[in-house]
Amino acid sequence: MPTAVQVTKTGGPEVLEPAEVDVPAPQAGELLVDVAAAGVNYIDTYQRQGIYPMELPVVLGLEGAGTVVEAGAGSGFAAGDRVAWQGSLGSYAARKLVPASIAVRVPEGVSLETAAATMLQGMTAHYLVASTFEVKAGHDVLVHAAAGGVGLLLVQLAKARGARVIGTVSTEEKEKLAREAGADEVIRYDRDDFAQLTRELTGGEGVDVVYDGVGKDTVDGSLASLKIRGLLALFGASSGPVPPLDPQRLNSGGSLYLTRPTSAHYTRTREEIDWRSKELFDAILAGELTVRIGGKYPLSDARKAHEDLQARRTTGKLLLIP
């Protein structure tokens, strides 16, 4: 069995190669972890393709969960602790070193697979609704790809804060999932003008915030869906990078706000990491947040996971299991 999945050259999913990778003993502040599951995310595909340049060869994967085998000095953890992380490259592996500074304890009652599926997308959804735009009761929210990994979490978290949520999806199956997650209205953006329907659903006003992880295909409609002084949180680009934008469009659209947030800037401190992860795990334990695992793949099938993700054949979260 391979110990990791490595990229030695940029390209399509075919460049993901099973490999034997040695993992050294942990130094001070590090944890040696047996990985139970690693999350697959769109950023992995950008790194694989060279859109986000990486020093090669590289083991991809920024999040996962597992059991501590050995804890370095001063880490605050011990062998046997169940931990999860996001923001540590090299998670497509059977065993890896994790900085103790970003590891969080997984509480009893939350499986390691659920924890792995929660970290990056859950932290993303949390910072979007709690910090980028603080969703409150009475807000109208538009969530693109509402049946995707982040989308399903955004719908649930925004609803829990009292918002009215409009979701966009591309299939009947995904519409059903978005409604089950709590979306008040669901628009099929594969066949309908979502900006026009959003305006109609809000009495011509538009929404307070659009959470857009799709990018190139939706950015124009997202801006057209906002109310005066509304905010577009462009947190991803699954359909491709957004072309350069004339700031005058924000003026003519109603003094709009545009931000391109990234998780690293919202998890800069131990306090932020603990706050966001605790709220997510507490919500899972209370039955208030459901993390949908849409697919599990053996570590050696990372290529298939990337193919399925980029072809939009999946819903919820994809995991690699060593």
Side-chain angles (χ1 to χ4, degrees):
M1 292 291 289
T3 60
V5 172
Q6 196 173 59
V7 172
T8 58
K9 62 181 179 180
T10 58
E14 70 279 357
V15 303
L16 293 165
E17 301 173 350
E20 298 294 330
V21 176
D22 292 329
V23 183
Q27 300 299 306
E30 292 182 330
L31 307 174
L32 180 62
V33 179
D34 270 341
V35 180
V40 180
N41 296 283
Y42 257 100
I43 190 173
D44 306 347
T45 71
Y46 304 153
Q47 292 169 340
R48 187 203 74 224
Q49 294 172 83
I51 295 172
Y52 293 173
M54 308 287 291
E55 185 176 338
L56 302 177
V58 65
V59 175
L60 296 180
L62 287 166
E63 70 175 340
T67 304
V68 176
V69 177
E70 184 180 350
S75 68
F77 291 85
D81 285 348
R82 301 191 320 142
V83 296
W85 62 89
Q86 65 94 23
S88 180
L89 191 63
S91 299
Y92 287 11
R95 180 171 281 194
K96 81 175 299 291
L97 291 174
V98 178
S101 59
I102 64 169
V104 299
R105 284 182 170 81
V106 179
E108 291 300 321
V110 177
S111 73
L112 289 174
E113 289 185 357
T114 295
T118 301
M119 290 305 294
L120 196 148
Q121 292 181 340
M123 297 285 239
T124 297
H126 188 278
Y127 80 66
L128 286 171
V129 302
S131 302
T132 302
F133 180 94
E134 190 176 358
V135 175
K136 297 179 180 178
H139 281 147
D140 287 317
V141 172
L142 178 63
V143 176
H144 284 309
V150 178
L152 287 170
L153 298 174
L154 277 171
V155 170
Q156 294 176 79
L157 293 178
K159 281 298 295 180
R161 287 172 165 262
R164 179 192 184 204
V165 178
I166 302 169
T168 68
V169 299
S170 58
T171 68
E172 185 175 340
E173 177 199 4
K174 292 180 178 182
E175 177 178 354
K176 181 173 181 289
L177 289 172
R179 291 191 185 280
E180 288 174 353
D184 297 282
E185 306 286 349
V186 180
I187 298 171
R188 288 283 298 278
Y189 63 166
D190 59 320
R191 66 188 187 195
D192 295 320
D193 182 336
F194 72 82
Q196 179 183 334
L197 287 178
T198 297
R199 286 279 172 192
E200 292 176 4
L201 289 168
T202 55
E205 288 291 310
V207 295
D208 296 276
V209 60
V210 178
Y211 294 120
D212 189 342
V214 178
K216 179 171 65 71
D217 290 353
T218 51
V219 64
D220 290 330
S222 293
L223 289 169
S225 299
L226 288 167
K227 66 167 53 173
I228 290 174
R229 297 193 338 225
L231 181 141
L232 169 55
L234 188 68
F235 67 92
S238 62
S239 67
V242 172
L245 189 71
D246 182 354
Q248 183 59 27
R249 288 186 59 192
L250 304 178
N251 176 7
S252 61
S255 297
L256 305 177
Y257 295 88
L258 169 64
T259 184
R260 179 60 176 89
T262 190
S263 182
H265 297 149
Y266 287 88
T267 52
R268 297 179 65 209
T269 66
R270 184 77 235 187
E271 290 72 24
E272 273 194 313
I273 293 171
D274 288 343
W275 167 46
R276 300 193 194 285
S277 61
K278 184 178 187 305
E279 289 206 349
L280 290 166
F281 288 143
D282 284 351
I284 291 169
L285 288 169
E288 297 167 356
L289 182 66
T290 300
V291 179
R292 178 182 172 83
I293 297 173
K296 299 179 190 179
Y297 301 75
L299 182 62
S300 57
D301 282 352
R303 172 178 176 174
K304 180 69 163 59
H306 276 227
E307 289 172 346
D308 290 347
L309 182 67
Q310 290 192 278
R312 301 189 187 183
R313 291 193 287 261
T314 65
T315 59
K317 185 71 183 186
L318 303 188
L319 296 178
L320 297 180
I321 310 297

